[in-house]
Amino acid sequence: MSQNFDVVVIGAGSSGYIAAVRAAQLGFRVACVEKWRNPNGEYALGGTCLNVGCIPSKALLASSEEYEKAAGHLDEHGISVSSVKIDVPKMIARKDSIVSKMTKGIEFLFRKNKITWLKGHARFVSGEGASIRLEVIEDGEALLVEAANVIIATGSKPRHLPGIPVDNKLICDNEGALAMTEVPKRLGVIGAGVIGLELGSVWRRLGAEVTILEALPTFLAATDVAVQKEAAKLFAKQGLKIELGVKIGEVVTGKKGVKVAWTDAKGGAQALECDRLIVSVGRVPHTEGLGLETIGLATDERGFIPVDGHCRTALPNVYAIGDVVRGPMLAHKGEDEGVMVAELIAGQKPHIDYDKIPWVIYTSPEIAWVGKTEQQLKEEGRAIKTGQFPFAINGRALGIGSPEGFVKVIADAATDEVLGVHVVASSASDLIAEATMAMEFKASAEDIGRICHAHPSLAEVMREAALAASDKRALNM
Ligand code: FAD
Ligand code: NAI
């Protein structure tokens, strides 16, 4: 006996669960296969983002920011606090309860949209004819499933380094780094990417001495050069030690912690002794045990499932979305692909503009951008103009005690069309939405500059930077 569906989604992370919901909204009979189990053995929806990614990391970032504020930044407001303590297990329990609320929320969405959740590991069996056959394996039992369309949304997993075994106790990837029950005195981090900077910030704010070892001669290489410079300055001021151009050598664990041998940019031998080590050197697509070969599909040399601009694989009724395909490994990119594919299956003509996907790094201040950097546009030989405006002279930023950072708007020199917006600010994650919307509508810098922005607000800086880019006529500078 097999079960039949119009659409089977494999994976219920950000991209898979949204694909399932949209397909159900469009009237399809939908199943979503998900094998994720929590440490207590319970099955859970939500994938990396909800369980061990976006949501828990942002919860810890918020808790640690509150702690740092209470411990060091209330004095300037005339508020004195006699003793500030952090109860790490309580902070972790808060994070866990947010995760649980969110994952249970997806269970509710599945029930509401009549999506069948098949618990277990999905594996392709055959792909001949009009339908694809899969089996879902749970505790050794296999359930046969037939689907007219399959959406692969199996996500990614942390990349580990040879000779550095992750046990999520002494040496952690994102899972262990989000579950520490005490503040390590000395925390080592390999990789100054998004996870290294976000989780390094969490534990630094709570009192850890954090050293980040980065292989490249620069960090945040994908960001605009003005952002790179500002971030380096701000993180150094906060006490986040970032060593660039390093080569990692032997890593030895002992009773007291971890010792990392490394070579600095000048070739000098160095050693880092720390109580915990986080390895955050990128993520790799996850396709193990999926049986792609049984339906004639293969991954590329980097492990991704090859797809076209509409997430179609080489098979007409098999699609792949999210972290398991090309493009940025971001939850919202995968969500948009989930919507796009469900609508394609329904015969609609959806489209994603991959140049307009915003990025946010949730450090303090936050870093966000959409579109191209100044260096990318110069490499393309495009004539551009730029406008930059600081938060240091914005009344709202001063009032809330967040005067760091700026907005930089890059526009086409001839047409004034906005080509990139780069923000370093306490609420960059929210501010970038205006820029993304403007760019989706092909706005000019002058368009943003002529829109009325509430006063006093951080968004006024977006307007000023746009006016500065448009014809150097920022009003308050
Ligand atoms: P995943 O979320 O990885 O989900 C894939 C699911 O498929 C998993 O649940 C897995 O169990 C399941 N699965 C895999 N194979 C099978 C199989 N054969 N059978 C059944 N089920 C299977 N992105 C942002 O946009 N913003 C952030 O702030 C952010 N913060 C992050 C913080 C951290 C610490 C990490 C690690 C990531 C963060 N990300 C963030 C990235 C984001 O989590 C990913 O881009 C997103 O989760 C990708 O979604 P996905 O659905 O493609 O894959
Ligand atoms: P990353 O790709 O952001 O950064 C990895 C860093 O490690 C790079 O700077 C790289 O040069 C460095 N590196 C690689 N090998 C190294 C080595 N051997 N020694 C020293 N340094 C080395 O990857 P990260 O931080 O693991 O995050 C994975 C992905 O998860 C991100 O790219 C992003 O897509 C997603 N993510 C998104 C977040 C957000 O949107 N706010 C937050 C966290 C993760």
Side-chain angles (χ1 to χ4, degrees), residues 53-54 57-58 61 156 158-159 161 164 189-199 213-216 218-221 243 246-248 279-284 323 327-332 358-363 367:
C54 326
S57 60
K58 267 77 251 179
L61 279 154
S156 64
R159 183 164 82 88
L161 293 171
I164 311 185
V189 181
I190 303 183
V194 203
I195 294 181
L197 292 172
E198 288 189 0
L199 296 182
L213 303 174
E214 166 60 47
L216 292 179
T218 175
F219 73 109
L220 296 179
E243 301 284 355
V246 315
K247 196 166 180 300
I248 304 293
V279 180
S280 48
V281 292
R283 295 179 63 83
V284 289
D323 280 10
M329 286 184 168
L330 293 175
H332 43 282
W359 269 88
V360 181
I361 305 176
Y362 292 82
T363 44
I367 294 169

